[in-house]
Amino acid sequence: MDPKTVQRTIKPLIDSIREVCFVPEYRDKVTDAECLGLAVSKFFEWDGIAISKTAIEALGDANFHTLAGKIEELLDQEFKA
């Protein structure tokens, strides 16, 4: 699926989250990333492991493999302790 299709599909959700989840005084300052972060958090019902794995997959898709690997290492360390 091409990026523009994904953006057209998800943007209405982001806009809805901005309207519903943020007070009017802050809505013009809230970023799409903040809104999408709320959506991901709610989608996975605040499961930090699933949220982290989603971020790792997104970074890998964007060719940020080193950063994705570092976050994966942190995740492994956090849950081995």
Side-chain angles (χ1 to χ4, degrees):
M1 186 176 290
D2 71 284
K4 293 296 181 194
T5 299
V6 172
Q7 291 165 359
R8 278 193 309 271
T9 302
I10 294 177
K11 184 65 171 155
L13 175 63
I14 287 172
D15 293 340
S16 177
I17 288 170
R18 181 176 282 111
E19 285 298 312
V20 173
C21 296
F22 294 93
V23 296
E25 309 80 60
Y26 184 65
R27 285 184 193 143
D28 63 334
K29 296 177 183 87
V30 69
T31 65
D32 287 353
E34 288 176 275
C35 294
L36 190 55
L38 285 178
V40 170
S41 180
K42 291 176 189 304
F43 180 84
F44 289 114
E45 297 181 341
W46 305 276
D47 178 344
I49 295 171
I51 294 164
S52 299
K53 287 180 178 180
T54 301
I56 290 164
E57 292 300 326
L59 288 165
D61 185 61
N63 294 320
F64 284 83
H65 303 289
T66 302
L67 181 56
K70 289 177 181 179
I71 294 171
E72 195 163 27
E73 286 175 17
L74 287 171
L75 186 62
D76 289 343
Q77 290 172 8
E78 181 70 24
F79 291 98
K80 284 184 183 178

